[in-house]
């Protein structure tokens, strides 16, 4: 049996592939465009493993995806591929529209053709679309958490592009019958996250003695989930989720940004004392335009229907994360320096 994963060299995708192959002997075909956020080094431990096939490719290249589907005949496609960073989407939305909207459209077309024309009618197949809680917009301090029926209200170019992709996935199910599943998850953290997102950026800056840029008043709230818990939720939905349904995934772990940053500083003070508290590096900076105030996920549906709950408490996950970044300083240096990009250009030029 085979599954096809898109975006499997990014943060969550590579954690998912590593986790999957630690528990299953199914073949994973990993299609990734290898943008700045995709890093084959994340999958170095799978080098030479015949269960993992990496293909540099774009989900928007419908013909290429069609060829891969025909060749490998996966029982499922799990779509992680996306442009994922809100700040980048504010500075330039083009790539977000191209990959998250147009790319998802082409991927759906390729998958629909494969499911309809190639697979036997009695063969089970799933298309699982990995999405975000940001599609629901922003909550006030006392609002109830996002449920699967909360109205979409995306506020950033990133979340608007993800909302559009969710709508396409829904439509391909209702119109064409494609057996889809969608997950909308809260903020992930853990190993292998590119140091542009809050937690790895703060760790990396703190270790270099640089300012820790906290947007606005630092009181925006996010619901944090350790990445392997997201991976287990996706596996659960893939195996037991009801076709056409949406499942919200969250960590029951709402924190203000400043609280997260102070926690990181306290762990760093303990593990790598720097002479003065790392918290002294906190610098309040101009807020992100359109900055959503609060996200919170009501994950009762996935718990009630599928029995999934998060297993890593924030206090443990954040400590493990800091340790990982301390132990993998070379990884951070490489992904930030662009050396890896040069290697990629030399080694992957023109490969389909
Ligand atoms: P990431 O930016 O770390 O990784 C994205 C991966 O997709 C990279 O490997 C990149 O090379 C690849 N990619 C980009 N464009 C592509 C294209 N056109 N074709 C093929 N591959 C392409 O992102 P992430 O944080 O791992 O997020 C993965 C998915 O999960 C995204 O869909 C994101 O919207 C969603 N999500 C993320 C979070 C989070 O907190 N990070 C939370 C909920 C949902
Ligand atoms: O909620 C799920 C989403 O979480 C995912 O869909 C996105 O792909 C992922 O990037 C993440 O989006 P956020 O915008 O919440 O993540 P980010 O790490 O960029 O920011 C987290 C919070 O920290 C947010 O309130 C902005 C703030 N922040 C971020 C950075 C990078 C700062 O205060 N300073 C910073 O330097």
């Amino acid at each position: 049996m085979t599954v096809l994963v898109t975006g499997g060299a990014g943060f969550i995708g590579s954690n998912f592939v590593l986790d999957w192959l630690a528990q299953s002997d199914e073949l994973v075909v990993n299609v990734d465009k290898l943008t700045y956020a995709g890093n084959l080094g994340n999958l170095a431990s799978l080098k030479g493993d015949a269960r993992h096939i990496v293909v540099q490719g774009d989900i928007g290249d419908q013909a290429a995806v069609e060829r891969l589907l025909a060749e490998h005949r996966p029982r499922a496609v799990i779509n992680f591929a996306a442009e994922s960073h809100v700040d980048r989407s504010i500075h330039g939305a083009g790539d977000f529209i191209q990959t998250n909207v147009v790319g998802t459209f082409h991927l759906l077309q390729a998958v629909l053709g494969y499911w309809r024309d190639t697979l036997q009618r009695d063969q089970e197949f799933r298309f699982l679309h990995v999405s975000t809680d940001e599609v629901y917009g922003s909550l006030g301090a006392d609002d109830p958490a996002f449920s699967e029926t909360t109205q979409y209200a995306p506020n950033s170019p990133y979340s608007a592009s993800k909302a559009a992709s969710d709508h396409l996935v829904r439509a391909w199910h209702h119109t064409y019958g494609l057996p889809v599943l969608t997950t909308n998850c809260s903020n992930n953290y853990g190993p292998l996250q590119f140091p542009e997102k809050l937690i790895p950026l703060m760790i990396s800056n703190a270790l270099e003695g640089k300012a820790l840029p906290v947007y606005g008043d630092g009181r925006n709230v996010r619901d944090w989930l350790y990445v392997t818990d997201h991976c287990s939720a996706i596996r659960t939905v893939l195996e037991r989720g009801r076709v056409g349904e949406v499942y919200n995934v969250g960590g029951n772990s709402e924190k203000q940004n400043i609280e997260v940053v102070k926690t990181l500083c306290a762990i760093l003070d303990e593990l790598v004392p720097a002479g003065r508290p790392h918290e002294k590096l906190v610098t309040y900076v101009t807020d992100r335009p359109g900055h959503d105030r609060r996200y919170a996920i009501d994950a009762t549906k996935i718990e009630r229907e599928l029995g999934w709950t998060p297993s890593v408490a924030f206090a443990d996950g954040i400590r493990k994360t800091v340790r990982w970044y301390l132990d993998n300083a070379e990884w951070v240096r490489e992904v930030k320096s662009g050396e890896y990009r040069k290697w990629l250009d030399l080694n992957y030029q023109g490969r389909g």
Side-chain angles (χ1 to χ4, degrees):
M1 300 283 264
T2 300
V3 295
L4 188 143
V5 166
T6 71
F11 163 48
I12 305 172
S14 58
N15 274 286
F16 180 84
V17 170
L18 292 168
D19 233 45
W20 182 274
L21 289 174
Q23 321 188 18
S24 156
D25 277 333
E26 263 182 292
L27 189 77
V28 175
V29 179
N30 187 348
V31 186
D32 196 299
K33 190 176 172 183
L34 300 174
T35 68
Y36 78 96
N39 183 352
L40 290 179
N42 297 354
L43 301 157
S45 61
L46 296 175
K47 205 161 188 256
D49 190 326
R51 300 170 305 161
H52 182 226
I53 297 173
V54 183
V55 181
Q56 185 175 19
D58 187 330
I59 57 167
D61 184 346
Q62 196 177 314
V65 177
E66 282 168 354
R67 281 195 299 274
L68 286 171
L69 291 167
E71 182 184 349
H72 297 286
R73 300 179 71 97
R75 71 170 176 96
V77 171
I78 304 147
N79 183 31
F80 293 95
E83 290 293 335
S84 70
H85 188 38
V86 173
D87 293 323
R88 282 181 193 259
S89 81
I90 293 167
H91 291 116
D95 287 347
F96 289 72
I97 304 303
Q98 203 51 46
T99 282
N100 301 359
V101 187
V102 181
T104 303
F105 159 69
H106 286 297
L107 179 65
L108 282 166
Q109 286 294 85
V111 170
L112 178 63
Y114 164 69
W115 172 72
R116 207 166 42 188
D117 304 334
T118 309
L119 284 182
Q120 306 292 332
R121 271 284 149 214
D122 57 352
Q123 247 178 292
E124 206 164 78
F125 177 79
R126 297 286 182 270
F127 177 87
L128 192 151
H129 181 60
V130 180
S131 193
T132 170
D133 60 357
E134 300 205 9
V135 297
Y136 299 121
S138 184
L139 293 169
D142 299 322
D143 289 338
F146 301 131
S147 78
E148 290 79 1
T149 54
T150 301
Q151 192 179 332
Y152 273 35
N155 290 319
S156 72
Y158 163 68
S159 53
S161 69
K162 289 296 289 187
S165 70
D166 293 6
H167 292 325
L168 292 176
V169 170
R170 177 189 158 91
W172 261 239
H173 172 64
H174 283 275
T175 303
Y176 307 112
L178 188 68
V180 307
L181 297 155
T182 299
T183 54
N184 291 89
C185 186
S186 63
N187 285 62
N188 283 215
Y189 69 103
L192 300 170
Q193 186 167 34
F194 194 84
E196 63 184 352
K197 309 282 167 64
L198 179 73
I199 288 177
L201 178 79
M202 294 295 159
I203 299 172
S204 153
N205 278 15
L207 290 173
E208 291 180 30
K210 287 188 183 161
L212 308 180
V214 173
Y215 298 163
D217 66 2
R219 298 195 184 283
N220 300 64
V221 172
R222 298 293 183 264
D223 173 7
W224 293 97
L225 180 72
Y226 194 67
V227 63
T228 51
D229 274 334
H230 190 187
C231 297
S232 77
I234 292 169
R235 281 200 310 275
T236 303
V237 172
L238 186 63
E239 296 315 325
R240 301 200 296 280
R242 286 187 290 133
V243 166
E245 290 292 315
V246 172
Y247 293 91
N248 280 0
V249 182
N252 290 324
S253 189
E254 285 185 56
K255 308 260 174 253
Q256 291 186 347
N257 292 337
I258 189 63
E259 191 185 343
V260 172
V261 174
K262 285 183 176 175
T263 303
L264 290 169
C265 288
I267 299 171
L268 288 167
D269 287 346
E270 182 194 321
L271 299 180
V272 278
R276 64 177 198 143
H278 287 92
E279 205 181 305
K280 294 258 187 253
L281 297 169
V282 168
T283 310
Y284 288 92
V285 298
T286 309
D287 209 352
R288 173 188 277 175
H291 195 176
D292 286 336
R293 190 64 176 168
R294 173 177 166 240
Y295 302 144
I297 279 278
D298 175 350
T300 49
K301 179 176 173 183
I302 187 170
E303 179 174 2
R304 191 183 60 243
E305 283 191 16
L306 309 179
W308 178 89
T309 51
S311 67
V312 181
F314 184 78
D316 299 331
I318 198 74
R319 198 164 264 281
K320 282 206 274 190
T321 303
V322 173
R323 280 195 189 282
W324 188 87
Y325 279 91
L326 289 176
D327 292 345
N328 290 274
E330 188 58 18
W331 180 91
V332 175
R333 201 188 60 75
E334 272 178 23
V335 298
K336 279 171 55 172
S337 73
E339 273 169 39
Y340 163 71
R341 304 293 328 159
K342 284 182 226 144
W343 175 88
L344 191 64
D345 289 343
L346 284 174
N347 287 279
Y348 268 80
Q349 234 157 29
R351 285 210 212 162

